[in-house]
Amino acid sequence: MNNTKSSQLRTYCVLLFCFVLVTKVAAQSVRVSGTVFSKDQKPLEGALVTLYPAHISTITNKKGEYFLNQVPKNTKRLTVTYSGYASYETAIAISQNTIVQPAIFLKPEIQELSEVVISEGYEVRRKKQESLNLEIVNSSFIQRNLGGSLMQSLQRLPGVKTISIGSGGSKPLIRGLSFNQVIVVENGIKHEGQQWGADHGLEIDQYAVNRVAIIKGPSSFMYGSDAIGGAINIQPVPFPTQHVLGGTVDFTGKSNNEQFGGSVNLYGRNEKWFFDSRITAMDYGDYRVPTDTVQVYNYAVPLYKNHLRNTAGRELDVHASAGYVTDQLKSVLYFSNIYTKSGFFANAHGLEPRNVDTELHDRSSRDILMPFQEVTHTKISNTTSFSLGSHRFETQLGFQKNFRREWSHYVNHGYMPPLYPSDRHAPEDLERQYDKEVFSAAFKDEFSIRNHQFTTGINAEQQQNSINGWSFLIPAYKQFNVGGFVYDKIQLNELWLLHAAVRLDYGKIKMKQYTDWFPSEVTENGQTTSEYLKRSEDLTRTFQSFNWSAGINYTPGQWSLKANLGTSFRMPIAKELASNGVNYHYFRFEKGNPNLAAERSYQLDLGMEWKNTKWSFQLSPFFNYFPNYIYLNPTSQHDIYYGAGNQVFEYEQSKVMRYGGELQLRYQFLENLSGEVLAEYLYSEQMSGDKKGYTLPFSPPPSVLFGITYNPKIKSLKDTYFSLDYRFTAEQHQIVPPEKKTASSNVFNLAVGTKLKAGSQDFIISLQVQNLFNTKYLNHTSFYRLIELPEAGRNIIISLKIPFLIHQ
């Protein structure tokens, strides 16, 4: 009773707080606009324009234009920064509601300075305005570190790893948390696939990504449930400039899995209407590892020509967006369809890895045989923003459909009939099917009152997931979530910035009963009967959560200090509440727990950064505590019905403590020679339950990366670089059964790139050699680590980007 009253009181307080804020909104707004050009009068796109002391920033569009709304009347200073140009600063006085600044002409930095100056860009400014630990990368970073998937391309960042599934799929792992503990946001919409499965990759086309912001820490106050471990925010591609028609063509080839493919982009805009489209296609074969034999649960599996049989795949992605853009109104409709078909390593799927037709699988390295999976992810969304008075409103509507099918030859387990019945509605080789539909809506209001920048919002999501196939793991379900938040950013002066946020969430999940399609023999009191066993019951659970976050930024001179303390939460998912079947990738029986409570987390994040003309230093420690972390606990029981006596794993909750951090150190030795050190450390410990004293699954070991980059100035070439990375990964001896200890590893990666100009045409070329010395090593966070499968061998990646302009 006391808890209920306390919860209601918190609800009333939040609603009252929202009401007070809205009623105190100032009636007038101030708008500042202008244009930024280079010295030779060419518009500069991407220049960072900032107003002080409020620290309100924006970047210029392709015409060099910038627009800043809801500007506080105490604004005194405007700065403009752009890579390669000297910073610009001017005084500004707010005397009317609309101010158009005179055109700004930036001067090349090299002509103005006698020494090398590393100016602040958008990423640096943005990090100084956030109290959470944040990393931002753009498309150039992705091209330099191109992996088999977007997340593999990002894992050079400290604190960011992947749980890889072969060469073409992976899911994010931020400071050791993954699956439904990390969310991915694309164009403002939370990406919803089957992220609970370790073998399910992320359906994102990395060629369509322009800029990615990675929040390394709890961000539930902005995104709600599932953001308990962090967020990957894939930001929209900038609008094309007016009266232009152009695009890009990308080609990529990889040696290890003989991948070839590319992406074609075409965009255009008249004065107010624009479109942007892209088609990406990839085809790859079985990838190779630097060994000719792997151990699959103590069974030696020989590999033909080092190929991991049946890991080939293909991908076809289509994107399109169209919109209407004015100073007051922006509305964009996004559409994407991602299709992938990829094989599972044939010797690591099913209950008997020895019964694999190796002659059939080794006949070709490019065919995709059973077992394999097909995934089609369709996403349609609209984002509309407009200004009204001193407010900037944004609405988002979205629909997603994730259709996943896993195909495998029918094998009878337990009491399944030896022959698949011909009258079953599901195809004989359809092992599992998940058909998920998600409808989402969000509304956000941004406004300023004096030195307060408020963001308020509400978002809701309805999802339904149906199942099919001859195998069962999780039941069909429907889920509804709704949440509202208030976020205040308070600029005390030019040095101090405060953050405060509260959020209230409600969620409901309703799971359907599932009964076996075949009878099983049940013996009770000495009598044996034949029954259709019920695998999951009708179950409805509701959850609500109140979360808060408070942070501070202090930026004296070359220093930038930050701290953030907050709570976060996550609703249990259908797999954790009601799974009841064999996971054929892990050879184990997984059983849900219908009594699980919502996961809750408390986290303290600190940040320290210092920078001058040659040195930059960044340290990001954190401490995290879960009073009820959800984990899969192995038991002494074995299942006799479905999987030849597989060990039973049950979901439980325990207290968990985690701490660690990341270190980034960079030094500019010479004008064109720089070095960096990127290090990360994570410690996790379960403090209660059957696994007290153990760590958490997939805990990444400590690692450090030493990188050196040379940027020579070569005639006719631009942005040329040579870089060499050496990563040392320490031994991981902190494990939780059935994990095994992982030895340390030493891996070298090489990268070369340049921009070549032929006439008026640019060609952007990059070459990578990953795992330069073909080192055999194990990755503790790999999906295939449990079967002693080493990481991919040497891989040479060549990519070519050709931007073109048809009309301007």
Side-chain angles (χ1 to χ4, degrees):
M1 181 67 73
N2 290 335
N3 291 336
T4 303
K5 288 183 178 180
S6 176
S7 177
Q8 291 175 341
L9 179 60
R10 286 196 297 264
T11 305
Y12 296 146
C13 289
V14 172
L15 295 175
L16 180 61
F17 184 45
C18 298
F19 176 77
V20 170
L21 293 178
V22 172
T23 55
K24 284 184 173 295
V25 169
Q28 292 184 331
S29 66
V30 177
R31 185 169 187 271
V32 176
S33 63
T35 312
V36 180
F37 296 97
S38 64
K39 188 177 181 180
D40 52 358
Q41 301 187 352
K42 292 183 177 178
L44 291 179
E45 179 191 6
L48 178 69
V49 182
T50 307
L51 297 179
Y52 294 92
H55 276 280
I56 300 175
S57 297
T58 188
I59 58 175
T60 55
N61 59 25
K62 289 192 175 182
K63 295 181 68 176
E65 299 169 334
Y66 63 90
F67 305 94
L68 290 152
N69 297 315
Q70 307 148 27
V71 175
K73 291 194 173 181
N74 64 343
T75 298
K76 298 177 180 177
R77 189 159 55 94
L78 180 148
T79 67
V80 181
T81 57
Y82 190 81
S83 179
Y85 288 79
S87 298
Y88 174 88
E89 179 175 336
T90 185
I92 182 172
I94 305 296
S95 58
Q96 52 190 353
N97 290 339
T98 301
I99 296 176
V100 180
Q101 286 288 105
I104 297 170
F105 295 89
L106 298 185
K107 298 176 182 179
E109 198 172 50
I110 192 170
Q111 296 179 11
E112 303 299 323
L113 303 175
S114 57
E115 60 179 338
V116 176
V117 175
I118 303 173
S119 60
E120 290 185 346
Y122 169 79
E123 293 82 4
V124 176
R125 286 283 183 186
R126 178 76 194 284
K127 289 168 72 171
K128 287 184 176 180
Q129 296 173 12
E130 299 293 338
S131 57
L132 288 168
N133 284 310
L134 180 71
E135 298 288 348
I136 301 174
V137 300
N138 56 24
S139 56
S140 297
F141 176 92
I142 294 172
Q143 188 177 21
R144 279 192 180 198
N145 301 278
L146 197 65
S149 65
L150 173 63
M151 292 316 306
Q152 290 172 350
S153 301
L154 297 179
Q155 63 179 343
R156 188 177 187 274
L157 299 170
V160 179
K161 290 288 173 290
T162 65
I163 297 178
S164 299
I165 311 104
S167 60
S170 61
K171 59 175 71 263
L173 182 74
I174 297 180
R175 290 174 166 174
L177 298 182
S178 184
F179 303 102
N180 283 73
Q181 294 165 326
V182 173
I183 72 162
V184 176
V185 177
E186 184 180 29
N187 297 330
I189 300 294
K190 179 184 173 186
H191 182 82
E192 284 284 3
Q194 303 288 344
Q195 56 264 43
W196 52 269
D199 54 323
H200 303 160
L202 204 59
E203 303 88 359
I204 298 288
D205 178 6
Q206 60 178 328
Y207 290 97
V209 174
N210 174 62
R211 178 174 285 158
V212 183
I214 301 109
I215 300 175
K216 295 188 287 187
S219 41
S220 287
F221 75 89
M222 288 293 288
Y223 301 109
S225 178
D226 292 2
I228 197 167
I232 309 287
N233 187 358
I234 301 169
Q235 300 173 354
V237 175
F239 303 133
T241 189
Q242 291 182 338
H243 308 295
V244 69
L245 180 63
T248 59
V249 178
D250 290 84
F251 299 100
T252 302
K254 300 180 182 179
S255 66
N256 182 280
N257 60 356
E258 299 174 343
Q259 174 178 314
F260 60 85
S263 185
V264 179
N265 168 234
L266 183 66
Y267 60 82
R269 179 178 170 181
N270 56 20
E271 187 173 348
K272 296 177 180 177
W273 292 92
F274 79 92
F275 76 94
D276 198 328
S277 59
R278 178 178 293 276
I279 296 178
T280 300
M282 290 289 169
D283 192 296
Y284 52 91
D286 299 343
Y287 75 96
R288 287 173 292 177
V289 293
T291 183
D292 56 6
T293 304
V294 296
Q295 297 290 329
V296 179
Y297 293 96
N298 300 321
Y299 173 67
V301 175
L303 301 179
Y304 177 69
K305 293 183 177 179
N306 302 93
H307 282 102
L308 208 62
R309 56 180 60 91
N310 202 45
T311 54
R314 65 179 68 106
E315 179 176 337
L316 179 62
D317 309 329
V318 178
H319 302 262
S321 63
Y324 180 80
V325 180
T326 66
D327 293 344
Q328 297 298 320
L329 173 66
K330 297 177 179 61
S331 184
V332 186
L333 180 66
Y334 299 96
F335 167 82
S336 64
N337 189 79
I338 311 293
Y339 169 78
T340 59
K341 179 179 180 180
S342 56
F344 293 122
F345 177 35
N347 295 96
H349 186 91
L351 296 177
E352 183 47 81
R354 288 168 293 190
N355 293 338
V356 173
D357 188 344
T358 55
E359 183 178 350
L360 174 65
H361 279 289
D362 295 339
R363 195 171 298 164
S364 169
S365 64
R366 303 199 71 87
D367 55 7
I368 305 172
L369 305 174
M370 291 189 190
F372 68 88
Q373 62 177 340
E374 285 182 291
V375 184
T376 301
H377 192 99
T378 304
K379 187 181 297 179
I380 304 171
S381 66
N382 171 263
T383 300
T384 298
S385 61
F386 57 96
S387 299
L388 189 63
S390 61
H391 294 252
R392 179 181 177 274
F393 298 102
E394 183 178 277
T395 63
Q396 289 179 327
L397 300 173
F399 168 75
Q400 296 176 71
K401 182 179 178 63
N402 186 280
F403 187 55
R404 176 181 300 273
R405 288 181 294 179
E406 298 179 4
W407 300 90
S408 181
H409 291 302
Y410 173 73
V411 178
N412 61 313
H413 303 144
Y415 294 97
M416 290 180 181
L419 297 177
Y420 189 77
S422 58
D423 57 348
R424 285 273 299 161
H425 64 281
E428 179 177 348
D429 296 324
L430 183 62
E431 180 181 336
R432 284 170 184 155
Q433 174 179 299
Y434 304 104
D435 189 358
K436 186 176 185 179
E437 293 182 338
V438 181
F439 300 86
S440 59
F443 174 79
K444 187 168 68 175
D445 179 15
E446 297 176 342
F447 56 93
S448 297
I449 302 176
R450 296 178 181 172
N451 61 338
H452 292 258
Q453 297 175 49
F454 288 104
T455 304
T456 67
I458 184 171
N459 59 281
E461 183 182 276
Q462 171 75 43
Q463 54 178 278
Q464 54 195 34
N465 198 11
S466 60
I467 62 172
N468 201 352
W470 50 262
S471 173
F472 173 79
L473 183 60
I474 66 170
Y477 67 89
K478 291 183 178 179
Q479 182 173 320
F480 174 74
N481 296 79
V482 63
F485 69 93
V486 178
Y487 175 31
D488 183 13
K489 188 182 290 188
I490 311 162
Q491 187 72 52
L492 296 181
N493 51 48
E494 291 190 7
L495 299 180
W496 292 91
L497 181 63
L498 303 181
H499 306 259
V502 292
R503 182 183 176 98
L504 189 64
D505 279 277
Y506 171 81
K508 179 179 181 180
I509 183 168
K510 185 177 182 180
M511 286 152 287
K512 296 182 179 178
Q513 174 185 306
Y514 180 87
T515 304
D516 273 342
W517 54 271
F518 56 90
S520 298
E521 292 183 0
V522 179
T523 302
E524 289 185 357
N525 300 324
Q527 292 188 339
T528 300
T529 58
S530 183
E531 298 180 9
Y532 288 88
L533 298 181
K534 192 182 296 183
R535 304 283 288 276
S536 71
E537 303 278 356
D538 284 331
L539 176 66
T540 300
R541 292 288 311 273
T542 59
F543 303 90
Q544 57 181 326
S545 181
F546 174 80
N547 293 283
W548 55 270
S549 178
I552 187 169
N553 289 78
Y554 178 54
T555 54
Q558 295 171 314
W559 286 91
S560 175
L561 308 175
K562 62 173 66 176
N564 194 89
L565 178 65
T567 65
S568 200
F569 92 110
R570 182 179 71 87
M571 272 179 55
I573 59 176
K575 182 180 184 233
E576 294 162 336
L577 291 168
S579 62
N580 191 2
V582 177
N583 187 330
Y584 294 113
H585 302 287
Y586 283 116
F587 306 94
R588 69 189 183 197
F589 190 94
E590 298 180 1
K591 198 168 184 179
N593 181 347
N595 300 314
L596 294 175
E599 253 181 3
R600 191 163 180 79
S601 168
Y602 301 85
Q603 181 154 325
L604 172 65
D605 281 282
L606 301 175
M608 178 187 299
E609 188 171 351
W610 178 83
K611 186 175 184 179
N612 70 3
T613 55
K614 288 185 175 295
W615 287 93
S616 72
F617 163 84
Q618 181 179 332
L619 180 65
S620 309
F622 75 96
F623 178 83
N624 179 215
Y625 174 70
F626 283 83
N628 54 359
Y629 185 91
I630 299 174
Y631 71 106
L632 198 55
N633 182 38
T635 70
S636 58
Q637 304 172 19
H638 292 77
D639 177 74
I640 61 172
Y641 287 104
Y642 308 101
N646 275 273
Q647 187 177 7
V648 176
F649 287 63
E650 293 183 346
Y651 280 98
E652 295 184 4
Q653 293 187 283
S654 70
K655 298 176 182 177
V656 168
M657 174 188 67
R658 306 166 61 247
Y659 60 83
E662 299 84 36
L663 170 69
Q664 303 183 47
L665 184 65
R666 294 182 174 85
Y667 182 69
Q668 192 76 29
F669 295 102
L670 301 169
E671 179 183 358
N672 51 11
L673 182 65
S674 62
E676 61 182 340
V677 179
L678 309 176
E680 61 184 58
Y681 175 78
L682 171 68
Y683 177 81
S684 304
E685 181 179 340
Q686 299 189 44
M687 304 177 68
S688 66
D690 292 343
K691 291 296 175 289
K692 183 178 180 180
Y694 284 98
T695 184
L696 297 176
F698 294 113
S699 288
S703 70
V704 57
L705 182 147
F706 299 92
I708 188 165
T709 301
Y710 177 54
N711 299 99
K713 294 180 180 176
I714 303 174
K715 189 178 181 180
S716 303
L717 300 180
K718 190 177 178 183
D719 299 332
T720 304
Y721 64 89
F722 297 85
S723 68
L724 178 66
D725 286 352
Y726 159 60
R727 181 185 291 277
F728 168 74
T729 304
E731 176 191 13
Q732 182 54 290
H733 54 80
Q734 296 175 349
I735 60 171
V736 57
E739 287 185 339
K740 299 177 181 178
K741 293 182 179 179
T742 301
S744 62
S745 62
N746 300 272
V747 179
F748 290 82
N749 296 324
L750 179 70
V752 181
T754 191
K755 181 185 290 184
L756 173 66
K757 201 173 189 66
S760 59
Q761 180 62 57
D762 286 335
F763 297 89
I764 304 170
I765 306 168
S766 66
L767 168 70
Q768 289 183 73
V769 185
Q770 298 174 342
N771 194 1
L772 182 63
F773 299 112
N774 202 33
T775 304
K776 179 183 176 182
Y777 69 102
L778 297 175
N779 179 0
H780 192 74
T781 65
S782 170
F783 172 68
Y784 286 132
R785 168 63 187 91
L786 284 177
I787 57 170
E788 308 281 346
L789 189 64
E791 293 297 287
R794 182 185 298 113
N795 189 19
I796 301 173
I797 303 173
I798 299 176
S799 64
L800 171 65
K801 178 188 286 288
I802 308 173
F804 61 87
L805 206 55
I806 300 173
H807 170 72
Q808 185 175 31

